[in-house]
């Protein structure tokens, strides 16, 4: 039995969960530190369930958005501490208020990210904000299955590949699921994050007990990576442009899983009820009353269920929203049109990972220097052209 290959496997774990013989386990590729499913042929009965339930090998039907909103939470503190407009937090609040369960991504003590199920509003604090690393679904399928069979409703906010997997596995229970996918650039293997944190701890002589990819202390739109010790002291804070290797690898599309560069879910047609993300390109296709586009979420509505819920949230005052042309957020966000593209920096990183035997920290350092060198060169070369355009603009204004 053949499973999805390295160019397409998302690591969603659906194949392992549905296998009646439980003969599928995940093995780590030592060269890149990425886990892939492997079959124990001595136990496999060739039933084909793994391929049937694979959302990559057996794709779901997707749909074009019905509506688009620029939206944000009416709770100022919720908005301040969320990755963009706080819409995910408000969806969770709506679900809990209506007696539903919620599923989201949360850090473990070892900084691994796992999808977890919760029934209380306190869980929103750990589910909110960005997790720029691979998130495990190892135990969540069983938890969801048990609750759905008991008649419970569940709101799930996860990556598009994970939402597709849940929709595949729980296709008989979709009436009791609210499926919300996040616009995803790609996922970096957890081993890269672990190595990066360990490197910083050794350098600073500290032990990290808490971290953030978009720390509200610096405003979430600055994408500041921070580490805190057990006393709550922040001993590390760097932005992508400051040269934090992990952030550069993520935000410059260098260090993703291989499948992320071939992702079939990175398109305007989606398989969820709602799609949420940072709003990019606000005002490009129609005038807007919104004067500050920071901390504003894009909400794409794909189903009647999604439409009903987002409108309930708007009517209740929990969410403030402005309807936008559907094509505007799609035009503004490349990941709503195509997957991350492989760059020369990515190819250098691949070679470095092989030569460094999977050591992320050693592999990424020269790649960061290469990226910043290229960006500096571009600024120098493009500076005269920018100056000429400014002068032309100034002259045109003075003539009129």
């Amino acid at each position: 039995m053949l499973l999805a290959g390295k160019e397409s496997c998302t690591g969603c774990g659906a194949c392992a969960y549905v296998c009646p013989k439980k003969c599928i386990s995940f093995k780590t590729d030592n060269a890149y530190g990425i886990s892939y499913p492997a079959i124990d042929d001595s136990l496999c009965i060739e039933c084909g369930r793994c391929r049937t339930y694979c959302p990559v090998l057996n794709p779901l039907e997707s749909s074009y958005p019905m509506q688009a909103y620029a939206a944000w939470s009416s709770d100022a503190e919720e908005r301040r501490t969320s990755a963009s407009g706080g819409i995910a937090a408000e969806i969770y609040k709506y679900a809990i208020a209506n007696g539903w369960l919620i599923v989201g991504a949360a850090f473990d003590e070892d900084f691994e990210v796992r999808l977890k199920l919760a029934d209380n509003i306190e869980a929103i604090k750990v589910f909110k904000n960005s997790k720029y690393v691979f998130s495990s679904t190892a135990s969540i399928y069983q938890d969801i299955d048990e609750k759905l069979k008991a008649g419970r409703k569940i709101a799930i906010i996860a990556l598009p590949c994970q939402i597709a997997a849940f929709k595949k596995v729980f296709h008989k229970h979709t009436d009791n699921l609210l499926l919300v996918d996040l616009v995803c650039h790609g996922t970096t293997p957890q081993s890269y994050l672990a190595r990066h944190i360990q490197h910083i701890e050794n350098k600073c002589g500290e032990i990290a007990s808490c971290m953030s990819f978009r720390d509200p202390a610096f405003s979430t739109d600055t994408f500041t990576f921070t580490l805190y010790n057990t006393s709550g002291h922040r001993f590390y804070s760097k932005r992508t442009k400051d040269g934090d290797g992990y952030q550069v690898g993520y935000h410059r599309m260098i260090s993703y899983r291989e499948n992320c560069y071939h992702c079939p879910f990175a398109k305007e047609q989606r398989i969820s009820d709602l799609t949420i993300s940072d709003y990019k390109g606000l005002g490009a296709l129609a005038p807007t009353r919104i004067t500050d586009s920071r901390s504003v979420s894009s909400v794409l509505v794909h189903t009647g269920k999604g439409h009903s819920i987002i409108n309930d949230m708007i009517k209740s005052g929990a969410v403030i929203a402005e309807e936008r042309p559907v094509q505007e957020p799609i035009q503004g966000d490349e990941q709503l049109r195509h997957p991350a593209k492989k760059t020369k920096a990515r190819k250098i990183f691949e070679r470095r990972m092989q030569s460094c035997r999977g050591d992320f920290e050693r592999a990424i350092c020269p790649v960061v220097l290469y990226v910043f060198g290229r960006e500096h060169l571009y600024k120098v070369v493009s500076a005269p052209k920018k100056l000429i355009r400014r002068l032309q603009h100034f002259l045109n204004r003075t003539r009129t």
Side-chain angles (χ1 to χ4, degrees):
M1 190 64 61
L2 292 176
L3 300 174
K6 292 182 179 180
E7 288 193 354
S8 56
C9 177
T10 66
C12 73
C15 57
Y17 181 71
V18 301
C19 176
K21 290 296 184 179
K22 302 303 175 188
C23 65
I24 299 176
S25 58
F26 278 77
K27 309 290 185 183
T28 300
D29 178 334
N30 291 329
Y32 294 104
I34 301 173
S35 296
Y36 296 103
I39 298 176
D40 182 342
D41 292 327
S42 67
L43 298 175
C44 179
I45 58 174
E46 300 282 336
C47 67
R49 282 173 64 84
C50 53
R51 291 179 62 85
T52 299
Y53 283 88
C54 175
V56 173
L57 295 178
N58 194 8
L60 287 155
E61 184 178 348
S62 54
S63 60
Y64 188 79
M66 300 161 46
Q67 288 176 295
Y69 291 97
W72 59 91
S73 169
S74 60
D75 183 330
E77 182 61 13
E78 201 73 77
R79 192 181 183 195
R80 185 189 72 82
T81 56
S82 296
S84 53
I87 297 301
E90 293 300 339
I91 291 172
Y92 284 138
K93 288 181 186 177
Y94 176 93
I96 293 293
N98 284 277
W100 301 4
L101 301 169
I102 58 176
V103 170
F107 282 108
D108 279 347
E109 291 181 1
D110 56 4
F111 298 115
E112 287 194 23
V113 176
R114 303 179 189 279
L115 293 191
K116 298 183 180 181
L117 184 143
D119 61 359
N120 58 81
I121 205 163
E122 287 76 23
I124 299 173
K125 293 178 183 178
V126 295
F127 287 171
K128 69 193 299 184
N129 217 316
S130 299
K131 314 288 193 307
Y132 294 140
V133 66
F134 178 80
S135 50
S136 172
T137 58
S139 63
I140 197 67
Y141 286 102
Q142 186 64 42
D143 294 340
I144 293 173
D145 196 14
E146 291 173 359
K147 298 302 181 183
L148 287 174
K149 286 176 179 175
R152 299 297 301 272
K153 290 188 175 184
I154 307 175
I156 304 176
I157 302 180
L159 303 181
C161 53
Q162 295 168 336
I163 293 295
F166 294 139
K167 198 169 183 178
K168 273 282 185 185
V169 173
F170 304 116
H171 62 277
K172 294 180 181 179
H173 300 280
T174 52
D175 286 347
N176 282 350
L177 289 173
L178 172 66
L179 299 174
V180 182
D181 74 295
L182 303 161
V183 174
C184 174
H185 293 242
T187 59
T188 298
Q190 197 279 329
S191 60
Y192 298 2
L193 178 62
R195 181 70 184 87
H196 187 57
I197 292 175
Q198 183 183 53
H199 172 77
I200 296 169
E201 288 177 330
N202 292 341
K203 189 176 180 179
C204 298
E206 296 273 8
I207 299 297
S209 65
C210 182
M211 66 152 295
S212 177
F213 287 113
R214 298 175 68 168
D215 195 328
F218 295 89
S219 185
T220 57
D221 63 307
T222 65
F223 298 89
T224 304
F225 178 90
T226 56
L227 294 173
Y228 293 80
N229 64 19
T230 53
S231 300
H233 169 67
R234 184 175 60 245
F235 66 89
Y236 183 84
S237 60
K238 270 192 178 182
R239 298 167 294 177
T240 305
K241 67 178 184 179
D242 296 326
D244 178 80
Y246 188 89
Q247 290 278 66
V248 172
Y250 180 85
H251 290 290
R252 298 298 192 273
M253 301 180 289
I254 295 168
S255 54
Y256 300 159
R257 288 174 60 99
E258 179 62 30
N259 63 281
C260 297
Y261 302 98
H262 315 275
C263 179
F265 307 105
K267 58 183 181 179
E268 51 196 87
Q269 297 88 4
R270 314 296 277 194
I271 41 77
S272 57
D273 297 303
L274 297 168
T275 296
I276 59 176
S277 65
D278 295 342
Y279 203 114
K280 299 175 183 176
L282 180 62
L285 296 186
T288 176
R289 302 186 307 274
I290 302 169
T291 56
D292 186 354
S293 61
R294 295 175 301 173
S295 299
V296 174
S297 296
S298 161
V299 180
L300 296 176
V301 182
H302 308 288
T303 65
K305 184 192 301 182
H307 171 82
S308 175
I309 288 170
I310 195 68
N311 275 277
D312 282 351
M313 291 164 61
I314 294 169
K315 287 177 182 177
S316 71
V319 166
I320 300 168
E322 179 180 276
E323 189 166 1
R324 305 299 304 162
V326 168
Q327 269 298 317
E328 186 175 76
I330 294 171
Q331 179 179 290
D333 196 331
E334 289 189 6
Q335 269 61 46
L336 280 168
R337 303 195 305 276
H338 57 74
K341 295 179 179 179
K342 279 198 175 186
T343 61
K344 187 174 180 180
R346 164 66 186 188
K347 293 172 183 176
I348 295 171
F349 176 72
E350 289 175 354
R351 294 196 295 270
R352 290 284 306 169
M353 283 294 286
Q354 289 180 337
S355 64
C356 294
R357 298 182 180 180
D359 187 328
F360 170 77
E361 207 63 29
R362 286 178 57 208
I364 196 66
C365 287
V367 182
V368 172
L369 294 176
Y370 169 80
V371 169
F372 281 9
R374 294 278 296 179
E375 291 178 358
H376 177 71
L377 179 62
Y378 174 78
K379 288 179 182 178
V380 171
V381 171
S382 62
K385 293 180 181 179
K386 288 182 179 179
L387 180 59
I388 290 170
R389 284 198 296 269
R390 288 174 183 171
L391 286 171
Q392 287 176 335
H393 179 68
F394 174 75
L395 291 172
N396 290 336
R397 286 182 62 188
T398 56
R399 286 169 186 164
T400 56

